[in-house]
């Protein structure tokens, strides 16, 4: 008795995989696993229905908490890839692990996915699965299937797939982002119509101010503190902490209603293909903007500069689905250390499709108003005049280098007495 666990969504690809795993790969039994990372309810209904019609043993695993925590971890790393907040990317390892758990529990010999050989998801799933001793199967890629072939095969077999859905878009939704690709959107020159958006409404003139509270880099509470919209009455009591899933869902709704978090981009996939992607991610944009604003206040310049490098590496690994790489653990050590100070609040103004930080506060602020102010003369015994020496030295090396270059390139000009003062400096 051989058994394979299939990552199952009830869509065309994974539906045709069920009979193919039996007929082409010779498995006695296929089980389907759908992992909940915050997809809309209709997707689970579709998966359930299709599984039933296929007589498929079907499991639904709730991984929303774990995924939400991973999303908030990505906020601490300010993680975006070419401008995209990694919703699909971060979900894949979580889904792959959950499927592996079910596969092991049910004594499966193999795991399978319905990804094509062109995208990123095949790589993200398999990076997790290939660490186990189960066989990994990718029928769509291995059998070279096309959508057209799959439609025909499904019709021949009378498989339960929804027809008439072709030529529209391919959508991937979870807590962190909604991605829309394919169809007309494949043409980079095509202007998308409003109908592709579901989480964001076109911006109105209304505004809303929310205060986001961070504890060691993790967002923990959201309070409305003002604005023009009738719904933006200050939250009574306020300050109540929210669980990650709840906090993300709340901000998706709120920021989405101000049109926050739309991205229309050309994305470089791991295989090197460029693809046109549209995304919606209101909560991600809000939290990333707020978190960065707080870091600006509490981290030193050196920490910020270095963290940008760490963050970029973290995001690259996140995009690749390699969050268990030893490198990520090491980066995480740096991130955890810096985040100890990222505690405080940031006020975000929702307006015109933007989530703009407009105020920030923290006990850890590396900021002295009296030192920066134009209204004070002496700070810690240092006066304005003390900057004179610094100003004299500032740019010294550039001045010297430029005058040397001039002398080498045009010695005749340098001979009639230089036009800069750097020769004096050189004589010291
Ligand atoms: N290109 C994105 C990524 O690799 C998202 C793709 C989502 N898939 C979809 N069918 N819309 O992370």
């Amino acid at each position: 008795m051989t058994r394979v666990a299939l990552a199952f969504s009830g869509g065309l690809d994974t539906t045709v995989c069920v009979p193919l795993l039996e007929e082409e790969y010779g498995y006695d039994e296929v089980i389907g696993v759908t992992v909940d990372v915050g997809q809309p309810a209709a997707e689970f209904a579709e998966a359930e229905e299709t599984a039933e019609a296929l007589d498929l043993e079907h499991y639904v695993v709730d991984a929303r908490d774990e995924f939400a925590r991973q999303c908030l971890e990505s906020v601490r790393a300010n993680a975006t890839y070419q401008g995209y907040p990694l919703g699909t990317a971060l979900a894949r390892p979580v889904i792959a692990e959950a499927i592996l758990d079910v596969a092991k529990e049910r004594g499966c010999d193999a795991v399978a996915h319905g990804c094509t050989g062109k995208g990123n998801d095949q790589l993200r799933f398999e990076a997790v699965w290939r660490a186990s001793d189960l066989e990994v199967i990718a029928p769509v890629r291995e059998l070279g299937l096309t959508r057209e072939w799959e439609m025909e095969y499904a019709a021949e077999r009378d498989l339960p797939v929804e027809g008439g859905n072709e030529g529209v878009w391919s959508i991937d939704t979870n807590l962190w982002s909604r991605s829309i690709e394919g169809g007309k959107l494949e043409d980079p020159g095509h202007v998308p119509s409003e109908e592709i958006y579901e989480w964001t409404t076109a911006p109105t003139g209304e505004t809303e101010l929310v205060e986001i509270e961070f504890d060691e880099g993790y967002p923990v509470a959201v309070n409305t503190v003002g604005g023009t919209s009738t719904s933006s009455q200050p939250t009574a009591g306020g300050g109540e902490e929210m669980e990650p899933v709840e906090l993300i869902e709340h901000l998706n709704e709120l920021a989405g209603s101000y049109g926050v978090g739309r991205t229309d981009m050309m994305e470089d996939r791991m295989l090197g293909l460029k693809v046109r992607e549209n995304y919606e991610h209101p909560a991600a944009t809000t939290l990333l903007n707020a978190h960065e604003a707080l870091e600006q206040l509490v981290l030193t310049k050196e920490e910020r500069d270095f963290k940008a490098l760490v963050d970029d590496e973290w995001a690259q690994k996140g995009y690749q689905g390699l969050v268990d790489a030893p490198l990520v653990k090491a980066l995480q050590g740096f991130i955890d250390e810096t985040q100890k100070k990222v505690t405080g609040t940031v006020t975000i103004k929702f307006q015109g499709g933007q989530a703009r930080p407009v105020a920030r506060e923290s006990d850890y602020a590396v900021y002295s108003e009296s030192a920066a102010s134009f209204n004070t003369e002496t700070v810690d015994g240092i006066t304005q005049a003390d900057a004179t020496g610094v100003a004299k030295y500032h740019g010294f090396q550039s001045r010297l280098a430029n005058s040397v270059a001039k002398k080498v390139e045009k010695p005749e000009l340098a001979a009639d007495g230089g036009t800069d003062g750097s020769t004096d400096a050189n004589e010291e």
Side-chain angles (χ1 to χ4, degrees):
M1 177 81 175
T2 54
R3 190 178 292 138
V4 52
L6 168 68
F8 186 75
S9 69
L12 177 63
D13 290 315
T14 57
T15 298
V16 301
C17 281
V18 175
L20 288 172
L21 285 166
E22 289 166 358
E23 290 160 24
E24 297 295 319
Y25 289 87
Y27 280 88
D28 298 319
E29 200 187 331
V30 182
I31 65 170
V33 187
T34 306
V35 181
D36 185 353
V37 283
Q39 304 89 315
E43 288 189 24
F44 296 101
E46 188 192 350
E48 288 291 359
E49 262 169 47
T50 313
E52 216 164 285
L54 286 167
D55 204 14
L56 178 73
E57 181 179 325
H58 184 226
Y59 297 85
V60 178
V61 183
D62 183 357
R64 286 184 313 152
D65 276 334
E66 204 197 325
F67 178 53
R69 278 172 215 287
Q70 183 63 2
C71 295
L72 299 191
E73 213 50 78
S74 82
V75 170
R76 298 169 93 223
N78 300 311
T80 57
Y81 173 79
Q82 299 183 336
Y84 144 58
L86 301 177
T88 299
L90 294 176
R92 291 305 176 263
V94 174
I95 294 172
E97 292 285 1
I99 291 171
L100 204 51
D101 287 345
V102 176
K104 286 179 183 162
E105 251 165 58
R106 290 291 289 109
C108 292
D109 310 281
V111 273
H113 62 69
C115 307
T116 71
K118 294 197 175 180
N120 293 322
D121 287 343
Q122 52 173 341
L123 307 179
R124 296 168 180 151
F125 276 127
E126 292 182 36
V128 173
W129 289 349
R130 288 184 189 278
S132 77
D133 45 21
L134 299 189
E135 180 116 21
V136 175
I137 310 174
V140 176
R141 178 182 74 205
E142 287 159 9
L143 304 173
L145 309 187
T146 60
R147 297 285 288 181
E148 214 167 89
W149 185 91
E150 291 176 359
M151 288 299 281
E152 253 167 58
Y153 178 80
E156 257 167 44
R157 301 293 171 113
D158 210 12
L159 298 179
V161 294
E162 277 178 40
N165 191 350
E166 285 306 279
V168 193
W169 309 290
S170 164
I171 293 172
D172 183 62
T173 310
N174 61 44
L175 278 173
W176 206 230
S177 70
R178 180 169 175 274
S179 143
I180 316 113
E181 60 180 27
K184 284 190 221 153
L185 299 172
E186 283 179 356
D187 172 6
H190 171 79
V191 180
S193 59
E194 273 298 311
E195 62 179 330
I196 71 165
Y197 303 111
E198 251 174 41
W199 283 9
T200 55
T201 48
T204 62
E206 302 288 356
T207 67
E208 181 158 347
L209 286 152
V210 294
E211 220 173 61
I212 301 179
E213 219 175 294
F214 286 88
D215 181 20
E216 300 204 352
Y218 295 108
V220 291
V222 179
N223 302 297
T224 291
V225 291
T228 61
S229 151
T230 44
S231 64
S232 58
Q233 293 314 309
T235 318
E240 228 160 89
E241 299 215 344
M242 286 170 138
E243 286 301 309
V245 172
E246 187 194 359
L247 185 137
I248 294 169
E249 282 176 341
H250 174 64
L251 276 178
N252 272 334
E253 204 159 301
L254 187 62
S257 73
Y258 291 92
V260 168
R262 289 183 178 180
T263 302
D264 181 339
M265 66 187 285
M266 294 307 297
E267 179 175 315
D268 291 294
R269 279 192 191 153
M270 280 184 262
L271 294 178
L273 295 171
K274 275 192 193 293
V275 279
R276 199 275 183 85
E277 291 283 357
N278 277 274
Y279 295 105
E280 296 181 280
H281 39 74
T285 296
T286 305
L287 292 171
L288 288 163
N289 290 357
H291 177 264
E292 215 204 337
L294 194 53
E295 283 196 339
Q296 288 176 0
L297 182 66
V298 302
L299 298 186
T300 62
K301 172 173 158 48
E302 289 124 295
E303 286 175 307
R304 288 178 61 192
D305 289 350
F306 194 77
K307 187 162 184 294
L309 306 176
V310 169
D311 289 348
D312 186 56
E313 284 298 324
W314 197 103
Q316 296 284 344
K317 287 289 156 221
Y319 185 72
Q320 294 162 7
L322 299 178
V323 284
D324 68 341
L327 174 65
V328 175
K329 228 187 212 156
L331 300 173
Q332 198 63 54
F334 179 84
I335 292 171
D336 290 344
E337 183 59 33
T338 57
Q339 297 307 290
K340 287 179 185 166
K341 296 183 287 189
V342 187
T343 294
T345 57
V346 176
T347 308
I348 290 284
K349 185 173 190 173
F350 295 130
Q351 182 176 36
Q354 290 196 306
R356 239 164 7 96
V358 290
R360 65 291 281 153
E361 271 176 50
S362 171
D363 290 344
Y364 293 97
V366 188
Y367 179 70
S368 156
E369 193 165 343
S370 63
S373 168
F374 298 117
N375 293 323
T376 44
E377 165 60 6
T378 310
V379 176
D380 281 348
I382 307 170
T383 65
Q384 280 196 62
D386 286 323
T388 307
V390 178
K392 283 184 180 172
Y393 259 110
H394 186 64
F396 169 81
Q397 200 169 75
S398 301
R399 287 195 293 276
L400 180 55
N402 290 339
S403 94
V404 167
K406 216 183 267 172
K407 262 189 250 168
V408 174
E409 285 155 22
K410 295 195 174 146
E412 65 289 355
L413 281 184
D416 349 307
T419 50
D420 57 79
S422 58
T423 34
D424 287 349
N426 206 12
E427 276 157 15
E428 296 230 332

